[in-house]
């Protein structure tokens, strides 16, 4: 009986530890997005020091640079293949959308990339990435002349629903 109890406790501790490590691993990426949302580009780049996945780090760096320079400086964008619906893939798609947005503000093409990131981030249950993708969708709708306000309102309402602090609002 005590061996069975010990195994159950060991399994429980392992599950809790794995959850902690997963949450801790995501916290650096979440803090990165919080910094980007606050337009704190130096803070966002500082968060990258803690990210050990090199491809993820490079994609985050590219995204921060694209947004910071907003088309005022030429930044080379190279389309890469990543496993679909991973955080690295979704951040790459955000970068692609922003690269297009800042190159040609009168195209709806960035919308499809930002929407893909929104849908993928919801599946991954990454709330900060979801918020950032919603902000990106709202931003691209500000540049487009033909996009209806009805679609933007839907994203604004959902963003308000998942907002947790004054900075979100």
């Amino acid at each position: 009986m005590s061996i069975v109890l010990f195994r159950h406790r060991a399994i429980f501790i392992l599950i809790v530890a794995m959850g902690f490590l997963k949450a801790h691993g995501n916290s650096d990426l979440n803090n990165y997005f919080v910094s980007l949302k606050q337009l704190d580009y130096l803070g966002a780049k500082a968060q990258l020091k803690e990210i050990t996945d090199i491809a993820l780090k490079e994609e985050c760096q590219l995204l921060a640079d694209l947004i910071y320079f907003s088309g005022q400086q030429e930044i080379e964008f190279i389309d890469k293949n990543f496993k679909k619906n991973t955080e690295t893939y979704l951040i790459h798609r955000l970068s692609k959308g922003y690269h297009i947005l800042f190159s040609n503000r009168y195209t709806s093409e960035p919308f499809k990339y930002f929407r893909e990131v929104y849908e993928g981030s919801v599946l991954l249950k990454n709330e900060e990435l979801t918020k950032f993708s919603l902000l990106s969708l709202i931003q691209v709708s500000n540049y487009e002349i033909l996009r209806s306000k009805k679609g933007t309102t839907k994203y604004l309402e959902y963003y308000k629903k998942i907002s947790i602090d004054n900075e979100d609002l």
Side-chain angles (χ1 to χ4, degrees), residues 32 36 40-42 44-45 48 57-70 75 91 95 132:
Y32 163 82
L36 276 186
D40 177 11
Y41 300 104
L42 292 176
K45 288 183 179 185
L48 298 180
K57 185 183 284 194
E58 288 175 354
E59 292 306 313
C60 289
Q61 178 69 49
L62 175 63
L63 178 61
D65 288 344
L66 283 166
I67 295 171
Y68 177 75
F69 291 110
S70 302
I75 296 175
I91 292 168
S95 295
F132 198 83

mmCIF file with all atom_site columns, all heavy atoms in Angstrom, residues 32 36 40-42 44-45 48 57-70 75 91 95 132:
data_model
loop_
_atom_site.group_PDB
_atom_site.id
_atom_site.type_symbol
_atom_site.label_atom_id
_atom_site.label_alt_id
_atom_site.label_comp_id
_atom_site.label_asym_id
_atom_site.label_entity_id
_atom_site.label_seq_id
_atom_site.pdbx_PDB_ins_code
_atom_site.Cartn_x
_atom_site.Cartn_y
_atom_site.Cartn_z
_atom_site.occupancy
_atom_site.B_iso_or_equiv
_atom_site.pdbx_formal_charge
_atom_site.auth_seq_id
_atom_site.auth_comp_id
_atom_site.auth_asym_id
_atom_site.auth_atom_id
_atom_site.pdbx_PDB_model_num
ATOM 1   N N   . TYR A 1 32  ? 8.193  38.968 -22.939 1.00 0.00 ? 32  TYR A N   1
ATOM 2   C CA  . TYR A 1 32  ? 8.602  39.587 -24.200 1.00 0.00 ? 32  TYR A CA  1
ATOM 3   C C   . TYR A 1 32  ? 7.399  40.275 -24.851 1.00 0.00 ? 32  TYR A C   1
ATOM 4   O O   . TYR A 1 32  ? 7.480  41.438 -25.254 1.00 0.00 ? 32  TYR A O   1
ATOM 5   C CB  . TYR A 1 32  ? 9.201  38.512 -25.118 1.00 0.00 ? 32  TYR A CB  1
ATOM 6   C CG  . TYR A 1 32  ? 9.298  38.895 -26.570 1.00 0.00 ? 32  TYR A CG  1
ATOM 7   C CD1 . TYR A 1 32  ? 10.363 39.671 -27.032 1.00 0.00 ? 32  TYR A CD1 1
ATOM 8   C CD2 . TYR A 1 32  ? 8.341  38.474 -27.485 1.00 0.00 ? 32  TYR A CD2 1
ATOM 9   C CE1 . TYR A 1 32  ? 10.458 40.016 -28.363 1.00 0.00 ? 32  TYR A CE1 1
ATOM 10  C CE2 . TYR A 1 32  ? 8.435  38.810 -28.816 1.00 0.00 ? 32  TYR A CE2 1
ATOM 11  C CZ  . TYR A 1 32  ? 9.489  39.587 -29.258 1.00 0.00 ? 32  TYR A CZ  1
ATOM 12  O OH  . TYR A 1 32  ? 9.577  39.931 -30.590 1.00 0.00 ? 32  TYR A OH  1
ATOM 13  N N   . LEU A 1 36  ? 6.638  44.204 -25.627 1.00 0.00 ? 36  LEU A N   1
ATOM 14  C CA  . LEU A 1 36  ? 6.279  44.708 -26.958 1.00 0.00 ? 36  LEU A CA  1
ATOM 15  C C   . LEU A 1 36  ? 4.972  45.483 -26.910 1.00 0.00 ? 36  LEU A C   1
ATOM 16  O O   . LEU A 1 36  ? 4.852  46.549 -27.530 1.00 0.00 ? 36  LEU A O   1
ATOM 17  C CB  . LEU A 1 36  ? 6.140  43.559 -27.959 1.00 0.00 ? 36  LEU A CB  1
ATOM 18  C CG  . LEU A 1 36  ? 7.379  43.031 -28.635 1.00 0.00 ? 36  LEU A CG  1
ATOM 19  C CD1 . LEU A 1 36  ? 7.008  42.007 -29.701 1.00 0.00 ? 36  LEU A CD1 1
ATOM 20  C CD2 . LEU A 1 36  ? 8.230  44.128 -29.243 1.00 0.00 ? 36  LEU A CD2 1
ATOM 21  N N   . ASP A 1 40  ? 8.051  48.791 -25.170 1.00 0.00 ? 40  ASP A N   1
ATOM 22  C CA  . ASP A 1 40  ? 9.339  48.752 -24.484 1.00 0.00 ? 40  ASP A CA  1
ATOM 23  C C   . ASP A 1 40  ? 10.236 47.772 -25.250 1.00 0.00 ? 40  ASP A C   1
ATOM 24  O O   . ASP A 1 40  ? 10.376 46.607 -24.876 1.00 0.00 ? 40  ASP A O   1
ATOM 25  C CB  . ASP A 1 40  ? 9.153  48.309 -23.027 1.00 0.00 ? 40  ASP A CB  1
ATOM 26  C CG  . ASP A 1 40  ? 10.462 48.181 -22.275 1.00 0.00 ? 40  ASP A CG  1
ATOM 27  O OD1 . ASP A 1 40  ? 11.512 48.629 -22.790 1.00 0.00 ? 40  ASP A OD1 1
ATOM 28  O OD2 . ASP A 1 40  ? 10.441 47.609 -21.167 1.00 0.00 ? 40  ASP A OD2 1
ATOM 29  N N   . TYR A 1 41  ? 10.853 48.260 -26.325 1.00 0.00 ? 41  TYR A N   1
ATOM 30  C CA  . TYR A 1 41  ? 11.634 47.392 -27.192 1.00 0.00 ? 41  TYR A CA  1
ATOM 31  C C   . TYR A 1 41  ? 12.922 46.922 -26.523 1.00 0.00 ? 41  TYR A C   1
ATOM 32  O O   . TYR A 1 41  ? 13.352 45.793 -26.737 1.00 0.00 ? 41  TYR A O   1
ATOM 33  C CB  . TYR A 1 41  ? 11.915 48.089 -28.524 1.00 0.00 ? 41  TYR A CB  1
ATOM 34  C CG  . TYR A 1 41  ? 10.630 48.433 -29.221 1.00 0.00 ? 41  TYR A CG  1
ATOM 35  C CD1 . TYR A 1 41  ? 10.145 49.733 -29.244 1.00 0.00 ? 41  TYR A CD1 1
ATOM 36  C CD2 . TYR A 1 41  ? 9.858  47.438 -29.812 1.00 0.00 ? 41  TYR A CD2 1
ATOM 37  C CE1 . TYR A 1 41  ? 8.949  50.037 -29.860 1.00 0.00 ? 41  TYR A CE1 1
ATOM 38  C CE2 . TYR A 1 41  ? 8.656  47.725 -30.429 1.00 0.00 ? 41  TYR A CE2 1
ATOM 39  C CZ  . TYR A 1 41  ? 8.200  49.022 -30.446 1.00 0.00 ? 41  TYR A CZ  1
ATOM 40  O OH  . TYR A 1 41  ? 7.009  49.313 -31.039 1.00 0.00 ? 41  TYR A OH  1
ATOM 41  N N   . LEU A 1 42  ? 13.526 47.778 -25.720 1.00 0.00 ? 42  LEU A N   1
ATOM 42  C CA  . LEU A 1 42  ? 14.724 47.352 -24.991 1.00 0.00 ? 42  LEU A CA  1
ATOM 43  C C   . LEU A 1 42  ? 14.375 46.270 -23.979 1.00 0.00 ? 42  LEU A C   1
ATOM 44  O O   . LEU A 1 42  ? 15.121 45.304 -23.808 1.00 0.00 ? 42  LEU A O   1
ATOM 45  C CB  . LEU A 1 42  ? 15.377 48.543 -24.288 1.00 0.00 ? 42  LEU A CB  1
ATOM 46  C CG  . LEU A 1 42  ? 16.006 49.595 -25.214 1.00 0.00 ? 42  LEU A CG  1
ATOM 47  C CD1 . LEU A 1 42  ? 16.543 50.769 -24.394 1.00 0.00 ? 42  LEU A CD1 1
ATOM 48  C CD2 . LEU A 1 42  ? 17.111 48.983 -26.063 1.00 0.00 ? 42  LEU A CD2 1
ATOM 49  N N   . ALA A 1 44  ? 11.870 44.177 -24.243 1.00 0.00 ? 44  ALA A N   1
ATOM 50  C CA  . ALA A 1 44  ? 11.569 42.965 -25.016 1.00 0.00 ? 44  ALA A CA  1
ATOM 51  C C   . ALA A 1 44  ? 12.855 42.249 -25.397 1.00 0.00 ? 44  ALA A C   1
ATOM 52  O O   . ALA A 1 44  ? 12.965 41.030 -25.259 1.00 0.00 ? 44  ALA A O   1
ATOM 53  C CB  . ALA A 1 44  ? 10.759 43.321 -26.263 1.00 0.00 ? 44  ALA A CB  1
ATOM 54  N N   . LYS A 1 45  ? 13.837 43.022 -25.864 1.00 0.00 ? 45  LYS A N   1
ATOM 55  C CA  . LYS A 1 45  ? 15.114 42.406 -26.246 1.00 0.00 ? 45  LYS A CA  1
ATOM 56  C C   . LYS A 1 45  ? 15.826 41.816 -25.035 1.00 0.00 ? 45  LYS A C   1
ATOM 57  O O   . LYS A 1 45  ? 16.499 40.798 -25.145 1.00 0.00 ? 45  LYS A O   1
ATOM 58  C CB  . LYS A 1 45  ? 15.987 43.423 -26.959 1.00 0.00 ? 45  LYS A CB  1
ATOM 59  C CG  . LYS A 1 45  ? 15.471 43.728 -28.351 1.00 0.00 ? 45  LYS A CG  1
ATOM 60  C CD  . LYS A 1 45  ? 16.381 44.679 -29.079 1.00 0.00 ? 45  LYS A CD  1
ATOM 61  C CE  . LYS A 1 45  ? 15.851 44.933 -30.476 1.00 0.00 ? 45  LYS A CE  1
ATOM 62  N NZ  . LYS A 1 45  ? 16.753 45.765 -31.268 1.00 0.00 ? 45  LYS A NZ  1
ATOM 63  N N   . LEU A 1 48  ? 14.808 38.335 -24.339 1.00 0.00 ? 48  LEU A N   1
ATOM 64  C CA  . LEU A 1 48  ? 15.329 37.331 -25.266 1.00 0.00 ? 48  LEU A CA  1
ATOM 65  C C   . LEU A 1 48  ? 16.567 36.626 -24.715 1.00 0.00 ? 48  LEU A C   1
ATOM 66  O O   . LEU A 1 48  ? 16.868 35.504 -25.112 1.00 0.00 ? 48  LEU A O   1
ATOM 67  C CB  . LEU A 1 48  ? 15.658 37.968 -26.613 1.00 0.00 ? 48  LEU A CB  1
ATOM 68  C CG  . LEU A 1 48  ? 14.473 38.577 -27.352 1.00 0.00 ? 48  LEU A CG  1
ATOM 69  C CD1 . LEU A 1 48  ? 14.933 39.187 -28.673 1.00 0.00 ? 48  LEU A CD1 1
ATOM 70  C CD2 . LEU A 1 48  ? 13.378 37.557 -27.580 1.00 0.00 ? 48  LEU A CD2 1
ATOM 71  N N   . LYS A 1 57  ? 14.346 32.683 -30.495 1.00 0.00 ? 57  LYS A N   1
ATOM 72  C CA  . LYS A 1 57  ? 15.013 33.943 -30.147 1.00 0.00 ? 57  LYS A CA  1
ATOM 73  C C   . LYS A 1 57  ? 15.207 34.816 -31.388 1.00 0.00 ? 57  LYS A C   1
ATOM 74  O O   . LYS A 1 57  ? 14.947 36.023 -31.361 1.00 0.00 ? 57  LYS A O   1
ATOM 75  C CB  . LYS A 1 57  ? 16.354 33.647 -29.488 1.00 0.00 ? 57  LYS A CB  1
ATOM 76  C CG  . LYS A 1 57  ? 17.070 34.879 -28.972 1.00 0.00 ? 57  LYS A CG  1
ATOM 77  C CD  . LYS A 1 57  ? 18.440 34.539 -28.394 1.00 0.00 ? 57  LYS A CD  1
ATOM 78  C CE  . LYS A 1 57  ? 18.284 33.905 -27.058 1.00 0.00 ? 57  LYS A CE  1
ATOM 79  N NZ  . LYS A 1 57  ? 19.543 33.831 -26.283 1.00 0.00 ? 57  LYS A NZ  1
ATOM 80  N N   . GLU A 1 58  ? 15.656 34.214 -32.487 1.00 0.00 ? 58  GLU A N   1
ATOM 81  C CA  . GLU A 1 58  ? 15.876 34.968 -33.730 1.00 0.00 ? 58  GLU A CA  1
ATOM 82  C C   . GLU A 1 58  ? 14.574 35.543 -34.272 1.00 0.00 ? 58  GLU A C   1
ATOM 83  O O   . GLU A 1 58  ? 14.540 36.686 -34.737 1.00 0.00 ? 58  GLU A O   1
ATOM 84  C CB  . GLU A 1 58  ? 16.529 34.070 -34.777 1.00 0.00 ? 58  GLU A CB  1
ATOM 85  C CG  . GLU A 1 58  ? 17.974 33.760 -34.492 1.00 0.00 ? 58  GLU A CG  1
ATOM 86  C CD  . GLU A 1 58  ? 18.587 32.774 -35.479 1.00 0.00 ? 58  GLU A CD  1
ATOM 87  O OE1 . GLU A 1 58  ? 17.856 32.229 -36.347 1.00 0.00 ? 58  GLU A OE1 1
ATOM 88  O OE2 . GLU A 1 58  ? 19.805 32.534 -35.361 1.00 0.00 ? 58  GLU A OE2 1
ATOM 89  N N   . GLU A 1 59  ? 13.510 34.754 -34.208 1.00 0.00 ? 59  GLU A N   1
ATOM 90  C CA  . GLU A 1 59  ? 12.219 35.248 -34.708 1.00 0.00 ? 59  GLU A CA  1
ATOM 91  C C   . GLU A 1 59  ? 11.681 36.384 -33.835 1.00 0.00 ? 59  GLU A C   1
ATOM 92  O O   . GLU A 1 59  ? 11.117 37.340 -34.338 1.00 0.00 ? 59  GLU A O   1
ATOM 93  C CB  . GLU A 1 59  ? 11.205 34.104 -34.808 1.00 0.00 ? 59  GLU A CB  1
ATOM 94  C CG  . GLU A 1 59  ? 11.538 33.085 -35.874 1.00 0.00 ? 59  GLU A CG  1
ATOM 95  C CD  . GLU A 1 59  ? 11.757 33.687 -37.248 1.00 0.00 ? 59  GLU A CD  1
ATOM 96  O OE1 . GLU A 1 59  ? 10.932 34.532 -37.692 1.00 0.00 ? 59  GLU A OE1 1
ATOM 97  O OE2 . GLU A 1 59  ? 12.748 33.322 -37.898 1.00 0.00 ? 59  GLU A OE2 1
ATOM 98  N N   . CYS A 1 60  ? 11.871 36.274 -32.539 1.00 0.00 ? 60  CYS A N   1
ATOM 99  C CA  . CYS A 1 60  ? 11.451 37.347 -31.623 1.00 0.00 ? 60  CYS A CA  1
ATOM 100 C C   . CYS A 1 60  ? 12.251 38.617 -31.881 1.00 0.00 ? 60  CYS A C   1
ATOM 101 O O   . CYS A 1 60  ? 11.691 39.725 -31.879 1.00 0.00 ? 60  CYS A O   1
ATOM 102 C CB  . CYS A 1 60  ? 11.610 36.911 -30.168 1.00 0.00 ? 60  CYS A CB  1
ATOM 103 S SG  . CYS A 1 60  ? 10.414 35.666 -29.643 1.00 0.00 ? 60  CYS A SG  1
ATOM 104 N N   . GLN A 1 61  ? 13.540 38.467 -32.122 1.00 0.00 ? 61  GLN A N   1
ATOM 105 C CA  . GLN A 1 61  ? 14.402 39.620 -32.430 1.00 0.00 ? 61  GLN A CA  1
ATOM 106 C C   . GLN A 1 61  ? 13.933 40.302 -33.709 1.00 0.00 ? 61  GLN A C   1
ATOM 107 O O   . GLN A 1 61  ? 13.823 41.526 -33.767 1.00 0.00 ? 61  GLN A O   1
ATOM 108 C CB  . GLN A 1 61  ? 15.851 39.158 -32.573 1.00 0.00 ? 61  GLN A CB  1
ATOM 109 C CG  . GLN A 1 61  ? 16.825 40.264 -32.931 1.00 0.00 ? 61  GLN A CG  1
ATOM 110 C CD  . GLN A 1 61  ? 17.023 41.243 -31.811 1.00 0.00 ? 61  GLN A CD  1
ATOM 111 O OE1 . GLN A 1 61  ? 17.268 40.858 -30.694 1.00 0.00 ? 61  GLN A OE1 1
ATOM 112 N NE2 . GLN A 1 61  ? 16.900 42.532 -32.105 1.00 0.00 ? 61  GLN A NE2 1
ATOM 113 N N   . LEU A 1 62  ? 13.654 39.517 -34.730 1.00 0.00 ? 62  LEU A N   1
ATOM 114 C CA  . LEU A 1 62  ? 13.184 40.054 -36.007 1.00 0.00 ? 62  LEU A CA  1
ATOM 115 C C   . LEU A 1 62  ? 11.867 40.806 -35.826 1.00 0.00 ? 62  LEU A C   1
ATOM 116 O O   . LEU A 1 62  ? 11.707 41.920 -36.331 1.00 0.00 ? 62  LEU A O   1
ATOM 117 C CB  . LEU A 1 62  ? 13.018 38.918 -37.029 1.00 0.00 ? 62  LEU A CB  1
ATOM 118 C CG  . LEU A 1 62  ? 12.421 39.310 -38.381 1.00 0.00 ? 62  LEU A CG  1
ATOM 119 C CD1 . LEU A 1 62  ? 13.332 40.290 -39.112 1.00 0.00 ? 62  LEU A CD1 1
ATOM 120 C CD2 . LEU A 1 62  ? 12.182 38.057 -39.227 1.00 0.00 ? 62  LEU A CD2 1
ATOM 121 N N   . LEU A 1 63  ? 10.941 40.207 -35.101 1.00 0.00 ? 63  LEU A N   1
ATOM 122 C CA  . LEU A 1 63  ? 9.648  40.850 -34.877 1.00 0.00 ? 63  LEU A CA  1
ATOM 123 C C   . LEU A 1 63  ? 9.813  42.182 -34.148 1.00 0.00 ? 63  LEU A C   1
ATOM 124 O O   . LEU A 1 63  ? 9.235  43.196 -34.543 1.00 0.00 ? 63  LEU A O   1
ATOM 125 C CB  . LEU A 1 63  ? 8.714  39.927 -34.092 1.00 0.00 ? 63  LEU A CB  1
ATOM 126 C CG  . LEU A 1 63  ? 7.333  40.503 -33.753 1.00 0.00 ? 63  LEU A CG  1
ATOM 127 C CD1 . LEU A 1 63  ? 6.549  40.834 -35.023 1.00 0.00 ? 63  LEU A CD1 1
ATOM 128 C CD2 . LEU A 1 63  ? 6.560  39.518 -32.881 1.00 0.00 ? 63  LEU A CD2 1
ATOM 129 N N   . ALA A 1 64  ? 10.635 42.203 -33.101 1.00 0.00 ? 64  ALA A N   1
ATOM 130 C CA  . ALA A 1 64  ? 10.859 43.444 -32.354 1.00 0.00 ? 64  ALA A CA  1
ATOM 131 C C   . ALA A 1 64  ? 11.467 44.516 -33.249 1.00 0.00 ? 64  ALA A C   1
ATOM 132 O O   . ALA A 1 64  ? 11.057 45.679 -33.199 1.00 0.00 ? 64  ALA A O   1
ATOM 133 C CB  . ALA A 1 64  ? 11.750 43.168 -31.141 1.00 0.00 ? 64  ALA A CB  1
ATOM 134 N N   . ASP A 1 65  ? 12.420 44.126 -34.094 1.00 0.00 ? 65  ASP A N   1
ATOM 135 C CA  . ASP A 1 65  ? 13.049 45.092 -35.001 1.00 0.00 ? 65  ASP A CA  1
ATOM 136 C C   . ASP A 1 65  ? 12.060 45.621 -36.031 1.00 0.00 ? 65  ASP A C   1
ATOM 137 O O   . ASP A 1 65  ? 12.023 46.822 -36.309 1.00 0.00 ? 65  ASP A O   1
ATOM 138 C CB  . ASP A 1 65  ? 14.250 44.461 -35.705 1.00 0.00 ? 65  ASP A CB  1
ATOM 139 C CG  . ASP A 1 65  ? 15.444 44.249 -34.785 1.00 0.00 ? 65  ASP A CG  1
ATOM 140 O OD1 . ASP A 1 65  ? 15.475 44.848 -33.687 1.00 0.00 ? 65  ASP A OD1 1
ATOM 141 O OD2 . ASP A 1 65  ? 16.334 43.457 -35.158 1.00 0.00 ? 65  ASP A OD2 1
ATOM 142 N N   . LEU A 1 66  ? 11.266 44.736 -36.605 1.00 0.00 ? 66  LEU A N   1
ATOM 143 C CA  . LEU A 1 66  ? 10.277 45.162 -37.600 1.00 0.00 ? 66  LEU A CA  1
ATOM 144 C C   . LEU A 1 66  ? 9.302  46.174 -37.002 1.00 0.00 ? 66  LEU A C   1
ATOM 145 O O   . LEU A 1 66  ? 8.997  47.202 -37.620 1.00 0.00 ? 66  LEU A O   1
ATOM 146 C CB  . LEU A 1 66  ? 9.507  43.952 -38.145 1.00 0.00 ? 66  LEU A CB  1
ATOM 147 C CG  . LEU A 1 66  ? 10.241 43.099 -39.162 1.00 0.00 ? 66  LEU A CG  1
ATOM 148 C CD1 . LEU A 1 66  ? 9.516  41.771 -39.359 1.00 0.00 ? 66  LEU A CD1 1
ATOM 149 C CD2 . LEU A 1 66  ? 10.375 43.834 -40.492 1.00 0.00 ? 66  LEU A CD2 1
ATOM 150 N N   . ILE A 1 67  ? 8.817  45.891 -35.816 1.00 0.00 ? 67  ILE A N   1
ATOM 151 C CA  . ILE A 1 67  ? 7.845  46.781 -35.187 1.00 0.00 ? 67  ILE A CA  1
ATOM 152 C C   . ILE A 1 67  ? 8.511  48.085 -34.747 1.00 0.00 ? 67  ILE A C   1
ATOM 153 O O   . ILE A 1 67  ? 7.959  49.164 -34.924 1.00 0.00 ? 67  ILE A O   1
ATOM 154 C CB  . ILE A 1 67  ? 7.133  46.075 -34.017 1.00 0.00 ? 67  ILE A CB  1
ATOM 155 C CG1 . ILE A 1 67  ? 6.301  44.910 -34.561 1.00 0.00 ? 67  ILE A CG1 1
ATOM 156 C CG2 . ILE A 1 67  ? 6.248  47.053 -33.252 1.00 0.00 ? 67  ILE A CG2 1
ATOM 157 C CD1 . ILE A 1 67  ? 5.739  44.010 -33.501 1.00 0.00 ? 67  ILE A CD1 1
ATOM 158 N N   . TYR A 1 68  ? 9.703  47.991 -34.192 1.00 0.00 ? 68  TYR A N   1
ATOM 159 C CA  . TYR A 1 68  ? 10.401 49.181 -33.722 1.00 0.00 ? 68  TYR A CA  1
ATOM 160 C C   . TYR A 1 68  ? 10.660 50.158 -34.872 1.00 0.00 ? 68  TYR A C   1
ATOM 161 O O   . TYR A 1 68  ? 10.402 51.352 -34.766 1.00 0.00 ? 68  TYR A O   1
ATOM 162 C CB  . TYR A 1 68  ? 11.725 48.802 -33.053 1.00 0.00 ? 68  TYR A CB  1
ATOM 163 C CG  . TYR A 1 68  ? 12.519 49.994 -32.601 1.00 0.00 ? 68  TYR A CG  1
ATOM 164 C CD1 . TYR A 1 68  ? 12.145 50.706 -31.460 1.00 0.00 ? 68  TYR A CD1 1
ATOM 165 C CD2 . TYR A 1 68  ? 13.636 50.423 -33.315 1.00 0.00 ? 68  TYR A CD2 1
ATOM 166 C CE1 . TYR A 1 68  ? 12.866 51.813 -31.044 1.00 0.00 ? 68  TYR A CE1 1
ATOM 167 C CE2 . TYR A 1 68  ? 14.369 51.527 -32.901 1.00 0.00 ? 68  TYR A CE2 1
ATOM 168 C CZ  . TYR A 1 68  ? 13.973 52.220 -31.773 1.00 0.00 ? 68  TYR A CZ  1
ATOM 169 O OH  . TYR A 1 68  ? 14.689 53.319 -31.360 1.00 0.00 ? 68  TYR A OH  1
ATOM 170 N N   . PHE A 1 69  ? 11.161 49.654 -35.997 1.00 0.00 ? 69  PHE A N   1
ATOM 171 C CA  . PHE A 1 69  ? 11.503 50.527 -37.116 1.00 0.00 ? 69  PHE A CA  1
ATOM 172 C C   . PHE A 1 69  ? 10.299 50.847 -38.002 1.00 0.00 ? 69  PHE A C   1
ATOM 173 O O   . PHE A 1 69  ? 10.338 51.808 -38.759 1.00 0.00 ? 69  PHE A O   1
ATOM 174 C CB  . PHE A 1 69  ? 12.651 49.926 -37.936 1.00 0.00 ? 69  PHE A CB  1
ATOM 175 C CG  . PHE A 1 69  ? 13.959 49.937 -37.193 1.00 0.00 ? 69  PHE A CG  1
ATOM 176 C CD1 . PHE A 1 69  ? 14.522 48.755 -36.755 1.00 0.00 ? 69  PHE A CD1 1
ATOM 177 C CD2 . PHE A 1 69  ? 14.600 51.126 -36.911 1.00 0.00 ? 69  PHE A CD2 1
ATOM 178 C CE1 . PHE A 1 69  ? 15.720 48.761 -36.059 1.00 0.00 ? 69  PHE A CE1 1
ATOM 179 C CE2 . PHE A 1 69  ? 15.795 51.145 -36.213 1.00 0.00 ? 69  PHE A CE2 1
ATOM 180 C CZ  . PHE A 1 69  ? 16.359 49.960 -35.783 1.00 0.00 ? 69  PHE A CZ  1
ATOM 181 N N   . SER A 1 70  ? 9.244  50.057 -37.928 1.00 0.00 ? 70  SER A N   1
ATOM 182 C CA  . SER A 1 70  ? 7.978  50.322 -38.630 1.00 0.00 ? 70  SER A CA  1
ATOM 183 C C   . SER A 1 70  ? 8.155  50.762 -40.079 1.00 0.00 ? 70  SER A C   1
ATOM 184 O O   . SER A 1 70  ? 7.513  51.702 -40.539 1.00 0.00 ? 70  SER A O   1
ATOM 185 C CB  . SER A 1 70  ? 7.166  51.375 -37.878 1.00 0.00 ? 70  SER A CB  1
ATOM 186 O OG  . SER A 1 70  ? 6.899  50.966 -36.576 1.00 0.00 ? 70  SER A OG  1
ATOM 187 N N   . ILE A 1 75  ? 14.696 46.112 -43.322 1.00 0.00 ? 75  ILE A N   1
ATOM 188 C CA  . ILE A 1 75  ? 15.051 44.916 -42.575 1.00 0.00 ? 75  ILE A CA  1
ATOM 189 C C   . ILE A 1 75  ? 14.781 43.721 -43.479 1.00 0.00 ? 75  ILE A C   1
ATOM 190 O O   . ILE A 1 75  ? 13.669 43.570 -44.001 1.00 0.00 ? 75  ILE A O   1
ATOM 191 C CB  . ILE A 1 75  ? 14.233 44.801 -41.268 1.00 0.00 ? 75  ILE A CB  1
ATOM 192 C CG1 . ILE A 1 75  ? 14.573 45.975 -40.348 1.00 0.00 ? 75  ILE A CG1 1
ATOM 193 C CG2 . ILE A 1 75  ? 14.490 43.467 -40.573 1.00 0.00 ? 75  ILE A CG2 1
ATOM 194 C CD1 . ILE A 1 75  ? 13.748 46.047 -39.098 1.00 0.00 ? 75  ILE A CD1 1
ATOM 195 N N   . ILE A 1 91  ? 5.263  33.345 -34.485 1.00 0.00 ? 91  ILE A N   1
ATOM 196 C CA  . ILE A 1 91  ? 5.997  34.609 -34.411 1.00 0.00 ? 91  ILE A CA  1
ATOM 197 C C   . ILE A 1 91  ? 6.589  34.940 -35.779 1.00 0.00 ? 91  ILE A C   1
ATOM 198 O O   . ILE A 1 91  ? 6.604  36.105 -36.198 1.00 0.00 ? 91  ILE A O   1
ATOM 199 C CB  . ILE A 1 91  ? 7.070  34.547 -33.301 1.00 0.00 ? 91  ILE A CB  1
ATOM 200 C CG1 . ILE A 1 91  ? 6.363  34.473 -31.947 1.00 0.00 ? 91  ILE A CG1 1
ATOM 201 C CG2 . ILE A 1 91  ? 7.999  35.762 -33.365 1.00 0.00 ? 91  ILE A CG2 1
ATOM 202 C CD1 . ILE A 1 91  ? 7.253  34.123 -30.790 1.00 0.00 ? 91  ILE A CD1 1
ATOM 203 N N   . SER A 1 95  ? 5.889  38.295 -38.003 1.00 0.00 ? 95  SER A N   1
ATOM 204 C CA  . SER A 1 95  ? 6.941  39.078 -38.653 1.00 0.00 ? 95  SER A CA  1
ATOM 205 C C   . SER A 1 95  ? 6.640  39.264 -40.132 1.00 0.00 ? 95  SER A C   1
ATOM 206 O O   . SER A 1 95  ? 6.816  40.352 -40.673 1.00 0.00 ? 95  SER A O   1
ATOM 207 C CB  . SER A 1 95  ? 8.299  38.404 -38.477 1.00 0.00 ? 95  SER A CB  1
ATOM 208 O OG  . SER A 1 95  ? 8.676  38.385 -37.128 1.00 0.00 ? 95  SER A OG  1
ATOM 209 N N   . PHE A 1 132 ? -1.424 39.874 -28.492 1.00 0.00 ? 132 PHE A N   1
ATOM 210 C CA  . PHE A 1 132 ? -0.592 40.587 -29.457 1.00 0.00 ? 132 PHE A CA  1
ATOM 211 C C   . PHE A 1 132 ? -1.130 40.402 -30.876 1.00 0.00 ? 132 PHE A C   1
ATOM 212 O O   . PHE A 1 132 ? -1.114 41.336 -31.680 1.00 0.00 ? 132 PHE A O   1
ATOM 213 C CB  . PHE A 1 132 ? 0.863  40.144 -29.363 1.00 0.00 ? 132 PHE A CB  1
ATOM 214 C CG  . PHE A 1 132 ? 1.780  41.128 -30.010 1.00 0.00 ? 132 PHE A CG  1
ATOM 215 C CD1 . PHE A 1 132 ? 2.193  42.247 -29.320 1.00 0.00 ? 132 PHE A CD1 1
ATOM 216 C CD2 . PHE A 1 132 ? 2.205  40.949 -31.313 1.00 0.00 ? 132 PHE A CD2 1
ATOM 217 C CE1 . PHE A 1 132 ? 3.014  43.185 -29.926 1.00 0.00 ? 132 PHE A CE1 1
ATOM 218 C CE2 . PHE A 1 132 ? 3.022  41.870 -31.924 1.00 0.00 ? 132 PHE A CE2 1
ATOM 219 C CZ  . PHE A 1 132 ? 3.431  42.990 -31.229 1.00 0.00 ? 132 PHE A CZ  1
#
